[in-house]
Amino acid sequence: MAEYTPEDNKLALKVVFYGPALSGKTTNLMQLHSLLNPERKGELMVLETRDDRTLFFDMLPIGLKSDSGLDLRLKMYTVPGQVQHDSTRKAVLSRADGVVFVADSQPSQQDNNATAFGNLEENLEKVGLDIDTLPLVVQFNKRDIPGVMDETELQARWSVTPWSPLIMASALQGQGVIETLRTLLDRLYTEVDSEFDLDARHGIGRDLFITRLSASHEVARA
């Protein structure tokens, strides 16, 4: 749930990267930190453990300040994918405004994807969030690996869900990472504008919201 501090005119939105272990959640965040316009991002924190790359979370705050003075910040986290870290996943997921589910495209990982997605649904319910209404994007990562699942088959399988179309990505190569963020921002804007009148009160329309919060080095130089 968005955190608005009226005395400071600050609005913070929380996005969580969720998925099975080693599906590429941390790599997504590291690529975003590298690709996004450096004028609007903070320090990336990565905590690594022996059995997983992420112990608790990575945080990547990205800011946008409107003409009205609203300081809009996007804070992004990853969760550890290992089974034993379920309590941590639930804690990080609490009060999330949007979720990116990072699935592994390898055929051998499809059961793990399904288990992790089921775990996401369960934990969202436990923290009082509804998976059917929460802005959510599903990314199938690791498209650079030979023999991955066929995209047409994946798109068809998910076509009846609210999260279609899927985003195909290779986070390791930086492909599809910003597209994933932009898709999530598009779905997130509808909810945030409805609650905080971003357009009417602060002059932040959908296009500005998406382009400013996902501006890459290339766009910033243009």
Side-chain angles (χ1 to χ4, degrees):
M1 306 172 81
E3 295 180 4
Y4 179 59
T5 311
E7 57 269 26
D8 298 324
N9 203 17
K10 289 184 177 180
L11 179 62
L13 307 175
K14 181 179 183 181
V15 172
V16 177
F17 284 70
Y18 209 97
L22 303 179
S23 63
K25 303 178 293 297
T26 299
T27 307
N28 263 272
L29 214 58
M30 294 177 75
Q31 284 287 3
L32 283 174
H33 193 265
S34 173
L35 295 170
L36 294 177
N37 181 0
E39 293 180 357
R40 290 194 295 279
K41 66 182 179 184
E43 181 181 358
L44 175 65
M45 294 182 288
V46 181
L47 303 178
E48 301 196 24
T49 63
R50 182 177 57 186
D51 59 355
D52 201 340
R53 295 197 67 191
T54 309
L55 172 62
F56 185 38
F57 61 77
D58 308 334
M59 184 174 70
L60 173 56
I62 303 171
L64 181 158
K65 195 160 189 174
S66 73
D67 293 339
S68 69
L70 178 69
D71 187 355
L72 196 158
R73 292 180 176 271
L74 189 64
K75 296 184 177 181
M76 291 189 277
Y77 301 76
T78 67
V79 298
Q82 298 286 349
V83 174
Q84 62 268 33
H85 295 307
D86 190 53
S87 60
T88 302
R89 282 195 296 276
K90 190 165 53 181
V92 176
L93 200 57
S94 177
R95 301 182 65 83
D97 297 293
V99 169
V100 173
F101 183 82
V102 181
D104 193 316
S105 292
Q106 298 176 91
S108 62
Q109 298 301 310
Q110 299 315 297
D111 287 346
N112 288 335
N113 290 337
T115 299
F117 198 83
N119 176 258
L120 169 63
E121 186 171 15
E122 291 172 4
N123 280 339
L124 283 174
E125 184 176 0
K126 289 176 182 175
V127 299
L129 296 172
D130 185 354
I131 195 170
D132 291 326
T133 57
L134 183 73
L136 190 153
V137 170
V138 177
Q139 177 202 84
F140 268 77
N141 188 30
K142 303 187 179 181
R143 302 305 296 175
D144 54 299
I145 296 179
V148 294
M149 294 288 293
D150 178 72
E151 179 179 352
T152 303
E153 180 182 345
L154 288 173
Q155 295 287 8
R157 186 181 300 174
W158 286 75
S159 63
V160 296
T161 73
W163 312 295
S164 178
L166 309 172
I167 305 297
M168 300 291 132
S170 169
L172 191 63
Q173 299 179 352
Q175 297 171 356
V177 174
I178 288 184
E179 289 79 1
T180 299
L181 175 61
R182 286 174 178 159
T183 302
L184 191 280
L185 290 171
D186 185 45
R187 296 175 184 178
L188 180 58
Y189 180 82
T190 301
E191 301 298 323
V192 180
D193 183 52
S194 175
E195 184 173 358
F196 296 98
D197 293 328
L198 289 185
D199 195 3
R201 292 184 57 194
H202 304 287
I204 302 176
R206 183 182 299 272
D207 288 344
L208 181 63
F209 180 82
I210 296 171
T211 56
R212 291 287 297 276
L213 288 177
S214 65
S216 65
H217 291 283
E218 288 72 18
V219 173
R221 285 196 296 264

